[in-house]
PDB file of all heavy atoms in Angstrom:
ATOM      1  N   PHE A  14       4.834  -4.653  -5.097  1.00 94.00           N
ATOM      2  CA  PHE A  14       6.075  -5.123  -4.493  1.00 94.00           C
ATOM      3  C   PHE A  14       6.198  -4.591  -3.067  1.00 94.00           C
ATOM      4  O   PHE A  14       5.870  -3.431  -2.790  1.00 94.00           O
ATOM      5  CB  PHE A  14       7.276  -4.656  -5.321  1.00 94.00           C
ATOM      6  CG  PHE A  14       7.329  -5.269  -6.692  1.00 94.00           C
ATOM      7  CD1 PHE A  14       6.673  -4.666  -7.762  1.00 94.00           C
ATOM      8  CD2 PHE A  14       8.029  -6.438  -6.919  1.00 94.00           C
ATOM      9  CE1 PHE A  14       6.719  -5.218  -9.028  1.00 94.00           C
ATOM     10  CE2 PHE A  14       8.074  -7.006  -8.188  1.00 94.00           C
ATOM     11  CZ  PHE A  14       7.422  -6.403  -9.243  1.00 94.00           C
ATOM     12  N   VAL A  15       6.673  -5.441  -2.178  1.00 93.00           N
ATOM     13  CA  VAL A  15       6.903  -5.059  -0.785  1.00 93.00           C
ATOM     14  C   VAL A  15       8.315  -5.484  -0.405  1.00 93.00           C
ATOM     15  O   VAL A  15       8.887  -6.408  -0.979  1.00 93.00           O
ATOM     16  CB  VAL A  15       5.878  -5.716   0.163  1.00 93.00           C
ATOM     17  CG1 VAL A  15       4.481  -5.174  -0.103  1.00 93.00           C
ATOM     18  CG2 VAL A  15       5.878  -7.237   0.020  1.00 93.00           C
ATOM     19  N   GLU A  16       8.895  -4.796   0.585  1.00 90.00           N
ATOM     20  CA  GLU A  16      10.263  -5.097   0.993  1.00 90.00           C
ATOM     21  C   GLU A  16      10.400  -6.523   1.498  1.00 90.00           C
ATOM     22  O   GLU A  16      11.388  -7.196   1.250  1.00 90.00           O
ATOM     23  CB  GLU A  16      10.716  -4.109   2.073  1.00 90.00           C
ATOM     24  CG  GLU A  16      10.991  -2.705   1.553  1.00 90.00           C
ATOM     25  CD  GLU A  16      12.166  -2.660   0.579  1.00 90.00           C
ATOM     26  OE1 GLU A  16      13.028  -3.555   0.632  1.00 90.00           O
ATOM     27  OE2 GLU A  16      12.209  -1.724  -0.235  1.00 90.00           O
ATOM     28  N   ASP A  17       9.406  -6.988   2.241  1.00 88.00           N
ATOM     29  CA  ASP A  17       9.427  -8.356   2.749  1.00 88.00           C
ATOM     30  C   ASP A  17       8.278  -9.117   2.114  1.00 88.00           C
ATOM     31  O   ASP A  17       7.149  -9.070   2.576  1.00 88.00           O
ATOM     32  CB  ASP A  17       9.289  -8.356   4.273  1.00 88.00           C
ATOM     33  CG  ASP A  17       9.391  -9.757   4.857  1.00 88.00           C
ATOM     34  OD1 ASP A  17       9.644 -10.701   4.077  1.00 88.00           O
ATOM     35  OD2 ASP A  17       9.220  -9.917   6.076  1.00 88.00           O
ATOM     36  N   GLY A  18       8.577  -9.830   1.029  1.00 92.00           N
ATOM     37  CA  GLY A  18       7.516 -10.517   0.304  1.00 92.00           C
ATOM     38  C   GLY A  18       7.259 -11.931   0.778  1.00 92.00           C
ATOM     39  O   GLY A  18       6.581 -12.696   0.092  1.00 92.00           O
ATOM     40  N   VAL A  19       7.803 -12.305   1.930  1.00 93.00           N
ATOM     41  CA  VAL A  19       7.636 -13.669   2.416  1.00 93.00           C
ATOM     42  C   VAL A  19       6.153 -13.961   2.629  1.00 93.00           C
ATOM     43  O   VAL A  19       5.428 -13.158   3.206  1.00 93.00           O
ATOM     44  CB  VAL A  19       8.424 -13.891   3.727  1.00 93.00           C
ATOM     45  CG1 VAL A  19       7.953 -12.967   4.831  1.00 93.00           C
ATOM     46  CG2 VAL A  19       8.338 -15.341   4.165  1.00 93.00           C
ATOM     47  N   PRO A  20       5.654 -15.093   2.118  1.00 93.00           N
ATOM     48  CA  PRO A  20       4.244 -15.443   2.324  1.00 93.00           C
ATOM     49  C   PRO A  20       3.911 -15.526   3.812  1.00 93.00           C
ATOM     50  O   PRO A  20       4.631 -16.179   4.583  1.00 93.00           O
ATOM     51  CB  PRO A  20       4.121 -16.815   1.651  1.00 93.00           C
ATOM     52  CG  PRO A  20       5.237 -16.859   0.656  1.00 93.00           C
ATOM     53  CD  PRO A  20       6.359 -16.081   1.277  1.00 93.00           C
ATOM     54  N   ALA A  21       2.832 -14.877   4.226  1.00 86.00           N
ATOM     55  CA  ALA A  21       2.488 -14.791   5.646  1.00 86.00           C
ATOM     56  C   ALA A  21       2.288 -16.169   6.268  1.00 86.00           C
ATOM     57  O   ALA A  21       2.689 -16.420   7.405  1.00 86.00           O
ATOM     58  CB  ALA A  21       1.230 -13.942   5.819  1.00 86.00           C
ATOM     59  N   ASN A  22       1.652 -17.058   5.539  1.00 87.00           N
ATOM     60  CA  ASN A  22       1.383 -18.402   6.056  1.00 87.00           C
ATOM     61  C   ASN A  22       2.186 -19.455   5.301  1.00 87.00           C
ATOM     62  O   ASN A  22       1.748 -20.602   5.156  1.00 87.00           O
ATOM     63  CB  ASN A  22      -0.115 -18.704   5.964  1.00 87.00           C
ATOM     64  CG  ASN A  22      -0.947 -17.727   6.772  1.00 87.00           C
ATOM     65  OD1 ASN A  22      -0.648 -17.461   7.933  1.00 87.00           O
ATOM     66  ND2 ASN A  22      -1.986 -17.179   6.157  1.00 87.00           N
ATOM     67  N   GLY A  23       3.352 -19.059   4.810  1.00 94.00           N
ATOM     68  CA  GLY A  23       4.137 -19.956   3.977  1.00 94.00           C
ATOM     69  C   GLY A  23       4.896 -21.018   4.752  1.00 94.00           C
ATOM     70  O   GLY A  23       5.154 -20.885   5.954  1.00 94.00           O
ATOM     71  N   ASP A  24       5.253 -22.066   4.057  1.00 96.00           N
ATOM     72  CA  ASP A  24       6.085 -23.132   4.591  1.00 96.00           C
ATOM     73  C   ASP A  24       7.514 -22.964   4.076  1.00 96.00           C
ATOM     74  O   ASP A  24       7.755 -22.294   3.077  1.00 96.00           O
ATOM     75  CB  ASP A  24       5.537 -24.499   4.172  1.00 96.00           C
ATOM     76  CG  ASP A  24       4.153 -24.771   4.758  1.00 96.00           C
ATOM     77  OD1 ASP A  24       3.957 -24.472   5.955  1.00 96.00           O
ATOM     78  OD2 ASP A  24       3.278 -25.243   4.010  1.00 96.00           O
ATOM     79  N   ASP A  25       8.455 -23.618   4.761  1.00 97.00           N
ATOM     80  CA  ASP A  25       9.860 -23.498   4.379  1.00 97.00           C
ATOM     81  C   ASP A  25      10.095 -23.978   2.950  1.00 97.00           C
ATOM     82  O   ASP A  25       9.512 -24.975   2.509  1.00 97.00           O
ATOM     83  CB  ASP A  25      10.733 -24.306   5.331  1.00 97.00           C
ATOM     84  CG  ASP A  25      10.802 -23.688   6.724  1.00 97.00           C
ATOM     85  OD1 ASP A  25      10.496 -22.486   6.842  1.00 97.00           O
ATOM     86  OD2 ASP A  25      11.162 -24.410   7.670  1.00 97.00           O
ATOM     87  N   ALA A  26      10.943 -23.257   2.244  1.00 97.00           N
ATOM     88  CA  ALA A  26      11.321 -23.634   0.878  1.00 97.00           C
ATOM     89  C   ALA A  26      12.784 -23.277   0.674  1.00 97.00           C
ATOM     90  O   ALA A  26      13.110 -22.262   0.065  1.00 97.00           O
ATOM     91  CB  ALA A  26      10.432 -22.932  -0.136  1.00 97.00           C
ATOM     92  N   GLU A  27      13.668 -24.118   1.207  1.00 98.00           N
ATOM     93  CA  GLU A  27      15.096 -23.882   1.046  1.00 98.00           C
ATOM     94  C   GLU A  27      15.553 -24.246  -0.374  1.00 98.00           C
ATOM     95  O   GLU A  27      16.389 -23.567  -0.947  1.00 98.00           O
ATOM     96  CB  GLU A  27      15.877 -24.700   2.076  1.00 98.00           C
ATOM     97  CG  GLU A  27      15.580 -24.323   3.523  1.00 98.00           C
ATOM     98  CD  GLU A  27      16.017 -22.917   3.869  1.00 98.00           C
ATOM     99  OE1 GLU A  27      17.100 -22.515   3.397  1.00 98.00           O
ATOM    100  OE2 GLU A  27      15.277 -22.214   4.579  1.00 98.00           O
ATOM    101  N   THR A  28      14.985 -25.335  -0.904  1.00 98.00           N
ATOM    102  CA  THR A  28      15.332 -25.784  -2.255  1.00 98.00           C
ATOM    103  C   THR A  28      14.065 -26.124  -3.021  1.00 98.00           C
ATOM    104  O   THR A  28      13.203 -26.854  -2.520  1.00 98.00           O
ATOM    105  CB  THR A  28      16.246 -27.028  -2.215  1.00 98.00           C
ATOM    106  OG1 THR A  28      17.422 -26.714  -1.473  1.00 98.00           O
ATOM    107  CG2 THR A  28      16.635 -27.442  -3.626  1.00 98.00           C
ATOM    108  N   ILE A  29      13.945 -25.570  -4.226  1.00 98.00           N
ATOM    109  CA  ILE A  29      12.780 -25.824  -5.082  1.00 98.00           C
ATOM    110  C   ILE A  29      13.279 -26.405  -6.392  1.00 98.00           C
ATOM    111  O   ILE A  29      14.135 -25.803  -7.062  1.00 98.00           O
ATOM    112  CB  ILE A  29      11.999 -24.532  -5.354  1.00 98.00           C
ATOM    113  CG1 ILE A  29      11.574 -23.864  -4.042  1.00 98.00           C
ATOM    114  CG2 ILE A  29      10.777 -24.806  -6.230  1.00 98.00           C
ATOM    115  CD1 ILE A  29      11.028 -22.455  -4.210  1.00 98.00           C
ATOM    116  N   ASP A  30      12.777 -27.570  -6.756  1.00 98.00           N
ATOM    117  CA  ASP A  30      13.142 -28.206  -8.021  1.00 98.00           C
ATOM    118  C   ASP A  30      11.914 -28.243  -8.925  1.00 98.00           C
ATOM    119  O   ASP A  30      10.872 -28.772  -8.542  1.00 98.00           O
ATOM    120  CB  ASP A  30      13.640 -29.632  -7.790  1.00 98.00           C
ATOM    121  CG  ASP A  30      14.976 -29.658  -7.056  1.00 98.00           C
ATOM    122  OD1 ASP A  30      15.956 -29.143  -7.611  1.00 98.00           O
ATOM    123  OD2 ASP A  30      15.022 -30.180  -5.920  1.00 98.00           O
ATOM    124  N   VAL A  31      12.062 -27.688 -10.117  1.00 98.00           N
ATOM    125  CA  VAL A  31      10.970 -27.653 -11.093  1.00 98.00           C
ATOM    126  C   VAL A  31      11.352 -28.535 -12.272  1.00 98.00           C
ATOM    127  O   VAL A  31      12.367 -28.288 -12.942  1.00 98.00           O
ATOM    128  CB  VAL A  31      10.700 -26.216 -11.571  1.00 98.00           C
ATOM    129  CG1 VAL A  31       9.557 -26.201 -12.596  1.00 98.00           C
ATOM    130  CG2 VAL A  31      10.355 -25.314 -10.378  1.00 98.00           C
ATOM    131  N   SER A  32      10.545 -29.550 -12.535  1.00 97.00           N
ATOM    132  CA  SER A  32      10.809 -30.470 -13.639  1.00 97.00           C
ATOM    133  C   SER A  32       9.991 -30.048 -14.856  1.00 97.00           C
ATOM    134  O   SER A  32       8.765 -30.129 -14.852  1.00 97.00           O
ATOM    135  CB  SER A  32      10.436 -31.897 -13.225  1.00 97.00           C
ATOM    136  OG  SER A  32      10.519 -32.772 -14.331  1.00 97.00           O
ATOM    137  N   PHE A  33      10.674 -29.585 -15.904  1.00 97.00           N
ATOM    138  CA  PHE A  33       9.997 -29.217 -17.140  1.00 97.00           C
ATOM    139  C   PHE A  33       9.801 -30.422 -18.049  1.00 97.00           C
ATOM    140  O   PHE A  33       8.831 -30.502 -18.794  1.00 97.00           O
ATOM    141  CB  PHE A  33      10.799 -28.147 -17.884  1.00 97.00           C
ATOM    142  CG  PHE A  33      10.774 -26.799 -17.232  1.00 97.00           C
ATOM    143  CD1 PHE A  33      11.772 -26.434 -16.339  1.00 97.00           C
ATOM    144  CD2 PHE A  33       9.759 -25.890 -17.499  1.00 97.00           C
ATOM    145  CE1 PHE A  33      11.753 -25.184 -15.731  1.00 97.00           C
ATOM    146  CE2 PHE A  33       9.728 -24.643 -16.900  1.00 97.00           C
ATOM    147  CZ  PHE A  33      10.730 -24.293 -16.005  1.00 97.00           C
ATOM    148  N   SER A  34      10.760 -31.346 -17.989  1.00 95.00           N
ATOM    149  CA  SER A  34      10.725 -32.542 -18.839  1.00 95.00           C
ATOM    150  C   SER A  34      11.766 -33.507 -18.299  1.00 95.00           C
ATOM    151  O   SER A  34      12.477 -33.211 -17.319  1.00 95.00           O
ATOM    152  CB  SER A  34      11.037 -32.181 -20.290  1.00 95.00           C
ATOM    153  OG  SER A  34      12.390 -31.763 -20.411  1.00 95.00           O
ATOM    154  N   GLY A  35      11.887 -34.644 -18.967  1.00 93.00           N
ATOM    155  CA  GLY A  35      12.943 -35.570 -18.579  1.00 93.00           C
ATOM    156  C   GLY A  35      14.321 -35.016 -18.865  1.00 93.00           C
ATOM    157  O   GLY A  35      15.316 -35.441 -18.272  1.00 93.00           O
ATOM    158  N   TYR A  36      14.408 -34.039 -19.774  1.00 94.00           N
ATOM    159  CA  TYR A  36      15.688 -33.442 -20.149  1.00 94.00           C
ATOM    160  C   TYR A  36      16.044 -32.246 -19.274  1.00 94.00           C
ATOM    161  O   TYR A  36      17.218 -32.018 -18.959  1.00 94.00           O
ATOM    162  CB  TYR A  36      15.634 -33.007 -21.618  1.00 94.00           C
ATOM    163  CG  TYR A  36      16.784 -32.133 -22.065  1.00 94.00           C
ATOM    164  CD1 TYR A  36      18.032 -32.695 -22.365  1.00 94.00           C
ATOM    165  CD2 TYR A  36      16.640 -30.751 -22.187  1.00 94.00           C
ATOM    166  CE1 TYR A  36      19.092 -31.900 -22.773  1.00 94.00           C
ATOM    167  CE2 TYR A  36      17.687 -29.950 -22.599  1.00 94.00           C
ATOM    168  CZ  TYR A  36      18.911 -30.530 -22.897  1.00 94.00           C
ATOM    169  OH  TYR A  36      19.966 -29.738 -23.297  1.00 94.00           O
ATOM    170  N   LYS A  37      15.050 -31.462 -18.872  1.00 97.00           N
ATOM    171  CA  LYS A  37      15.331 -30.151 -18.280  1.00 97.00           C
ATOM    172  C   LYS A  37      14.619 -29.944 -16.949  1.00 97.00           C
ATOM    173  O   LYS A  37      13.420 -30.159 -16.818  1.00 97.00           O
ATOM    174  CB  LYS A  37      14.890 -29.039 -19.248  1.00 97.00           C
ATOM    175  CG  LYS A  37      15.131 -27.616 -18.728  1.00 97.00           C
ATOM    176  CD  LYS A  37      16.609 -27.342 -18.475  1.00 97.00           C
ATOM    177  CE  LYS A  37      16.887 -25.889 -18.133  1.00 97.00           C
ATOM    178  NZ  LYS A  37      16.360 -25.481 -16.833  1.00 97.00           N
ATOM    179  N   GLY A  38      15.402 -29.508 -15.969  1.00 97.00           N
ATOM    180  CA  GLY A  38      14.871 -29.081 -14.688  1.00 97.00           C
ATOM    181  C   GLY A  38      15.606 -27.830 -14.236  1.00 97.00           C
ATOM    182  O   GLY A  38      16.732 -27.565 -14.671  1.00 97.00           O
ATOM    183  N   THR A  39      14.972 -27.041 -13.374  1.00 98.00           N
ATOM    184  CA  THR A  39      15.592 -25.826 -12.834  1.00 98.00           C
ATOM    185  C   THR A  39      15.485 -25.865 -11.316  1.00 98.00           C
ATOM    186  O   THR A  39      14.436 -26.228 -10.776  1.00 98.00           O
ATOM    187  CB  THR A  39      14.912 -24.561 -13.375  1.00 98.00           C
ATOM    188  OG1 THR A  39      15.016 -24.564 -14.806  1.00 98.00           O
ATOM    189  CG2 THR A  39      15.573 -23.301 -12.843  1.00 98.00           C
ATOM    190  N   THR A  40      16.564 -25.501 -10.635  1.00 98.00           N
ATOM    191  CA  THR A  40      16.615 -25.559  -9.176  1.00 98.00           C
ATOM    192  C   THR A  40      16.851 -24.163  -8.607  1.00 98.00           C
ATOM    193  O   THR A  40      17.675 -23.392  -9.126  1.00 98.00           O
ATOM    194  CB  THR A  40      17.745 -26.495  -8.712  1.00 98.00           C
ATOM    195  OG1 THR A  40      17.491 -27.816  -9.199  1.00 98.00           O
ATOM    196  CG2 THR A  40      17.828 -26.532  -7.188  1.00 98.00           C
ATOM    197  N   PHE A  41      16.123 -23.870  -7.534  1.00 98.00           N
ATOM    198  CA  PHE A  41      16.259 -22.595  -6.830  1.00 98.00           C
ATOM    199  C   PHE A  41      16.680 -22.900  -5.394  1.00 98.00           C
ATOM    200  O   PHE A  41      15.975 -23.608  -4.667  1.00 98.00           O
ATOM    201  CB  PHE A  41      14.937 -21.822  -6.847  1.00 98.00           C
ATOM    202  CG  PHE A  41      14.404 -21.585  -8.234  1.00 98.00           C
ATOM    203  CD1 PHE A  41      13.554 -22.508  -8.831  1.00 98.00           C
ATOM    204  CD2 PHE A  41      14.751 -20.450  -8.938  1.00 98.00           C
ATOM    205  CE1 PHE A  41      13.061 -22.303 -10.109  1.00 98.00           C
ATOM    206  CE2 PHE A  41      14.268 -20.231 -10.220  1.00 98.00           C
ATOM    207  CZ  PHE A  41      13.423 -21.166 -10.804  1.00 98.00           C
TER     208      PHE A  41
END
């Protein structure tokens, strides 16, 4: 673990939607 875990070469990710199924999704 590090204080600033931001990926060094990462792209912006303001909203992340994960689709588990047609019934269930989780948003970050």
Side-chain angles (χ1 to χ4, degrees):
F14 294 88
V15 294
E16 287 295 336
D17 183 4
V19 61
N22 300 312
D24 296 317
D25 290 341
E27 297 295 321
T28 302
I29 304 169
D30 292 297
V31 180
S32 172
F33 289 93
S34 68
Y36 169 79
K37 180 61 173 69
T39 301
T40 299
F41 304 90

